[in-house]
Amino acid sequence: MTETNRVWRLRKRPVGDITDDVLSLENEAIPEPGEGEILFRLNYLSLDPTNRIWMSDMEQYMEPVALDAPMRGVVCGTVIKSNTPEFKEGDIVSGIGTWADYQIGSSASVGLLGDTGDVPVIDAFGTLALVGPTAYFCLLDIGDPKPGETVVVSTAAGAVGALVGQIAKIKGCRAVGLTGSDEKCQWITEELGYDVAINYKTQDVGKALAEACPNGIDVYYDNVGGKILDECLKLMNLHGRIPTCGLISQYNATEPVPGPYNYDLILMHRLKIQGFIILDYMDRYPEALEALSGWMKEGKLKARLDVTDGLENALQAVKKLYTGDNMGKLMVRVKDV
Amino acid sequence: MTETNRVWRLRKRPVGDITDDVLSLENEAIPEPGEGEILFRLNYLSLDPTNRIWMSDMEQYMEPVALDAPMRGVVCGTVIKSNTPEFKEGDIVSGIGTWADYQIGSSASVGLLGDTGDVPVIDAFGTLALVGPTAYFCLLDIGDPKPGETVVVSTAAGAVGALVGQIAKIKGCRAVGLTGSDEKCQWITEELGYDVAINYKTQDVGKALAEACPNGIDVYYDNVGGKILDECLKLMNLHGRIPTCGLISQYNATEPVPGPYNYDLILMHRLKIQGFIILDYMDRYPEALEALSGWMKEGKLKARLDVTDGLENALQAVKKLYTGDNMGKLMVRVKDV
């Protein structure tokens, strides 16, 4: 292993949008795994809205990435060297790692991706490793949608949102998606089966939502917070549920962001708002994987990856999450399996 | 029945605080009950924060009171005349009525108060009819407090808050209450058993809460919304619960009120916020009444009424809810049973 090891390190905390000086790409030595550890080579790096949270020192659900430390990411890699009986050379692992060609892991940070059958590793990792179980548990456990109910999803063409709408349809619901371009609107209705798509950049969201949800909203799957949350609150039915999976509209904010102005409707309509992070569901992963892979095999669940090649392009690619330029699951391919 | 019937009517919708021209007191004829209806004479009128909601035409959980209609209230009265076998003359009823000496009711709006045993009717009505079941179900069902957890309560010396803290203690929790005077602070700690009281008018709420809750907050029983909600959000533990029973800080607002600035912590700490209105629990009332009256008999649950005499004083009395001048359950006594 004489190859160099490229490592993206966090150099400053972003203020507002992610700028080019936030991360730097360094050439470093390949690390040596210690007792109980493995060395793995990165195949795929998942880019997720939560990356922006980890970069900042805001209050969050894990420790933020330390300044000058390697950037954290959800990764898929191949074991090169193992100092633990839990993994062997050649195993494909996925979990929490860093934006680096070579990295150290252990059973505390990664697990075997497992047999993906006919599904290519990149698709299995892209859909099943993180976003699939997120969509599955957050919608079904917290949102608890019932057949005939109306489910509204923000960032509906994003990695999670694309799956949420399809799962809502599988469960017999009406699915209404908000996204940011006519192309995405077309994709989520024609390919994914959303009943109605709303372009939040060009349409009057309140008016369009009211038209799309003549029976009100029973479940609003929130990925964004902000103004769209406020518009949805106005239409929530009695005892409606708002599973809160993300608040991407405010991650890049530089000033304090007020909560929804229609907060009082939580009381008046007896709504439930509940935050969701997939970390709480690790012990129930098998349930989600079985359901999701079953639906994929039956052709009921379609996934779409938005792949950028080359670890060196990760910083430019992650910005797409905040400009809304991605369609489907954003991913960096470093080396195909 | 030659006596006149005094009726408070809603003359304008309040803007900001409740002013004297919002209601007017009229002398009217005593109404005649129709088929299936009763006529009852008002004994006690409960004054509650929700009165301000009913006066306004904001989005709410029932129809607002119509302009020029009798003001709605939670009432306790004695049946004078009955045109239904469900009630007989002399029965004591409680439920939803109006601010009037004589009024028409039916089994759709009122029910028998039932045998109160050794407890005087005014106490039974004051504690058991509305605020007791509210405190009971909202804390236990939505808050789900576990022994050893920390429960924070706003308007802790109010009708509901006074009970919530005591129920939290019965359930083995640490109870921290926020209220607006040193006298109330002393009352809730010395008489009701709150572990710590915070005077939100004179103390730094964030600092005082942090000191009072060294292990964080597991349940924040919200009666107020606003800045106190924001301070509590900062201290909420992972998977904390915020049963939302009232948002009194904003009922009198004349401008749109932003939601909490720490809304993002709902996601980061996977909190649950859920609105509560007692109307949803009517079928489970017996469970609450049995538990509450049992605790009252055992001396574990103390209630305190703040009684104003005379229906003519109802308008001045209801204002006390918004100036924080009441201590315990606010009530107008029209005619003792």
Side-chain angles (χ1 to χ4, degrees):
Chain A
M1 290 192 288
T2 54
E3 218 179 319
T4 55
N5 180 25
R6 295 170 302 168
V7 180
W8 281 102
R9 288 184 180 269
L10 181 68
R11 294 306 182 186
K12 55 179 280 194
R13 306 220 173 269
V15 177
D17 292 337
I18 297 173
T19 48
D20 289 348
D21 54 353
V22 162
L23 299 177
S24 72
L25 187 61
E26 310 293 342
N27 283 307
E28 305 186 2
I30 295 172
E32 264 301 312
E35 187 59 34
E37 293 182 334
I38 56 170
L39 174 71
F40 65 91
R41 182 175 176 151
L42 184 64
N43 296 114
Y44 308 113
L45 169 66
S46 174
L47 296 178
D48 302 284
T50 199
N51 294 154
R52 175 65 177 78
I53 299 177
W54 293 340
M55 288 176 184
S56 82
D57 55 2
M58 67 191 287
E59 175 84 23
Q60 53 192 276
Y61 60 92
M62 294 173 80
E63 283 298 300
V65 175
L67 279 180
D68 299 322
M71 179 59 200
R72 184 188 296 144
V74 176
V75 299
C76 177
T78 307
V79 177
I80 303 286
K81 191 172 177 181
S82 175
N83 291 338
T84 164
E86 297 163 303
F87 302 101
K88 63 179 190 300
E89 207 175 306
D91 279 348
I92 308 294
V93 293
S94 73
I96 301 284
T98 61
W99 295 23
D101 285 313
Y102 293 95
Q103 44 192 288
I104 302 298
S106 74
S107 58
S109 61
V110 299
L112 288 172
L113 186 64
D115 180 19
T116 65
D118 293 339
V119 182
V121 168
I122 189 169
D123 293 299
F125 171 62
T127 301
L128 299 179
L130 185 71
V131 293
T134 294
Y136 180 90
F137 288 117
C138 186
L139 176 65
L140 300 183
D141 250 48
I142 299 183
D144 190 24
K146 295 168 191 74
E149 287 193 332
T150 297
V151 176
V152 171
V153 185
S154 49
T155 68
V160 171
L163 300 174
V164 173
Q166 296 179 81
I167 298 172
K169 292 304 297 178
I170 290 169
K171 295 294 179 182
C173 299
R174 177 173 175 81
V176 175
L178 293 128
T179 185
S181 76
D182 291 342
E183 184 193 1
K184 290 182 188 178
C185 282
Q186 191 176 350
W187 177 55
I188 68 170
T189 49
E190 294 183 6
E191 295 294 319
L192 303 184
Y194 269 92
D195 295 286
V196 182
I198 297 170
N199 182 335
Y200 73 90
K201 290 187 178 170
T202 60
Q203 293 183 259
D204 177 331
V205 170
K207 192 162 165 282
L209 272 173
E211 283 170 12
C213 307
N215 298 320
I217 302 173
D218 300 291
V219 179
Y220 168 50
Y221 191 105
D222 193 4
N223 284 311
V224 300
K227 288 176 186 171
I228 289 175
L229 168 59
D230 249 327
E231 292 297 340
C232 287
L233 276 168
K234 289 186 203 167
L235 294 168
M236 291 301 295
N237 287 330
L238 204 61
H239 304 132
R241 288 80 67 197
I242 304 185
T244 301
C245 185
L247 295 167
I248 200 169
S249 73
Q250 63 187 71
Y251 297 160
N252 291 11
T254 53
E255 299 287 329
V257 180
Y261 282 81
N262 295 307
Y263 190 88
D264 60 320
L265 296 179
I266 297 171
L267 175 61
M268 301 307 171
H269 293 181
R270 287 88 95 186
L271 308 178
K272 180 179 81 169
I273 297 188
Q274 192 167 345
F276 175 91
I277 302 276
I278 188 64
L279 295 176
D280 296 333
Y281 286 80
M282 288 303 170
D283 57 337
R284 289 179 56 193
Y285 245 60
E287 171 192 339
L289 296 181
E290 186 183 340
L292 293 163
S293 57
W295 292 330
M296 285 175 85
K297 281 176 196 155
E298 295 168 38
K300 290 182 182 169
L301 193 67
K302 295 175 191 169
R304 174 162 170 170
L305 302 181
D306 185 330
V307 178
T308 295
D309 279 298
L311 184 61
E312 66 280 11
N313 297 316
L315 175 56
Q316 297 312 317
V318 78
K319 295 179 185 175
K320 291 168 81 173
L321 292 168
Y322 302 93
T323 54
D325 286 336
N326 63 307
M327 198 149 97
K329 178 73 197 83
L330 199 62
M331 179 95 69
V332 173
R333 173 165 39 204
V334 181
K335 179 176 168 39
D336 255 332
V337 173
Chain B
M1 289 191 290
T2 53
E3 216 177 325
T4 55
N5 181 24
R6 295 169 301 168
V7 180
W8 281 103
R9 289 185 179 271
L10 182 67
R11 295 304 180 188
K12 56 179 279 196
R13 305 220 174 269
V15 177
D17 292 338
I18 297 173
T19 48
D20 288 347
D21 54 353
V22 162
L23 299 177
S24 70
L25 186 62
E26 310 292 342
N27 283 310
E28 305 185 2
I30 295 172
E32 265 300 313
E35 187 60 34
E37 293 181 334
I38 56 170
L39 173 70
F40 65 91
R41 181 177 178 153
L42 184 63
N43 296 112
Y44 308 111
L45 169 65
S46 174
L47 296 178
D48 302 283
T50 198
N51 293 154
R52 175 65 178 77
I53 298 177
W54 292 340
M55 288 176 185
S56 82
D57 56 2
M58 66 191 288
E59 173 86 22
Q60 55 192 274
Y61 60 93
M62 294 173 81
E63 283 299 300
V65 175
L67 278 179
D68 298 323
M71 179 59 201
R72 184 189 295 143
V74 176
V75 298
C76 177
T78 307
V79 177
I80 302 286
K81 192 171 178 181
S82 175
N83 290 338
T84 164
E86 298 164 300
F87 302 101
K88 63 179 192 302
E89 206 175 305
D91 278 349
I92 308 293
V93 294
S94 74
I96 301 284
T98 61
W99 295 22
D101 284 314
Y102 293 94
Q103 44 192 292
I104 302 298
S106 73
S107 59
S109 61
V110 298
L112 288 173
L113 187 64
D115 180 19
T116 65
D118 293 338
V119 183
V121 168
I122 188 169
D123 292 301
F125 171 62
T127 301
L128 299 179
L130 185 72
V131 294
T134 294
Y136 180 89
F137 288 117
C138 185
L139 175 65
L140 300 184
D141 249 48
I142 300 182
D144 191 24
K146 294 168 192 74
E149 287 192 333
T150 297
V151 176
V152 171
V153 185
S154 49
T155 68
V160 171
L163 299 174
V164 172
Q166 295 179 81
I167 299 172
K169 291 305 298 179
I170 289 168
K171 295 295 180 179
C173 299
R174 178 175 174 81
V176 175
L178 292 129
T179 186
S181 76
D182 291 342
E183 185 194 358
K184 290 182 187 175
C185 282
Q186 191 176 350
W187 177 56
I188 68 170
T189 49
E190 293 183 5
E191 295 293 320
L192 303 184
Y194 269 92
D195 294 287
V196 182
I198 296 170
N199 183 335
Y200 73 90
K201 290 187 178 170
T202 59
Q203 292 183 258
D204 176 331
V205 169
K207 193 162 162 282
L209 272 172
E211 284 171 10
C213 308
N215 299 319
I217 301 172
D218 300 291
V219 179
Y220 168 50
Y221 192 106
D222 193 4
N223 284 310
V224 299
K227 287 177 187 171
I228 290 176
L229 168 59
D230 249 326
E231 292 297 340
C232 287
L233 276 168
K234 289 187 203 168
L235 292 169
M236 291 300 294
N237 288 330
L238 204 62
H239 304 130
R241 290 81 68 198
I242 303 184
T244 300
C245 184
L247 296 167
I248 199 171
S249 72
Q250 65 187 72
Y251 297 160
N252 290 11
T254 53
E255 299 287 329
V257 180
Y261 283 79
N262 294 307
Y263 190 87
D264 60 320
L265 296 180
I266 297 170
L267 174 61
M268 301 307 169
H269 293 181
R270 287 87 97 187
L271 307 178
K272 181 179 81 169
I273 296 187
Q274 192 168 344
F276 175 91
I277 302 275
I278 189 64
L279 295 176
D280 297 333
Y281 286 79
M282 288 303 172
D283 59 338
R284 288 179 58 194
Y285 244 60
E287 171 191 339
L289 296 181
E290 188 184 337
L292 293 163
S293 57
W295 291 329
M296 286 176 86
K297 280 176 198 154
E298 295 169 38
K300 290 182 182 170
L301 195 67
K302 294 175 191 167
R304 175 163 170 167
L305 302 181
D306 185 330
V307 179
T308 294
D309 279 297
L311 184 61
E312 65 280 12
N313 298 315
L315 175 56
Q316 297 311 319
V318 78
K319 294 179 185 176
K320 291 169 81 174
L321 291 168
Y322 302 93
T323 54
D325 285 336
N326 66 306
M327 196 149 97
K329 177 75 197 82
L330 201 62
M331 178 95 70
V332 173
R333 173 165 38 203
V334 181
K335 180 176 167 40
D336 255 331
V337 172

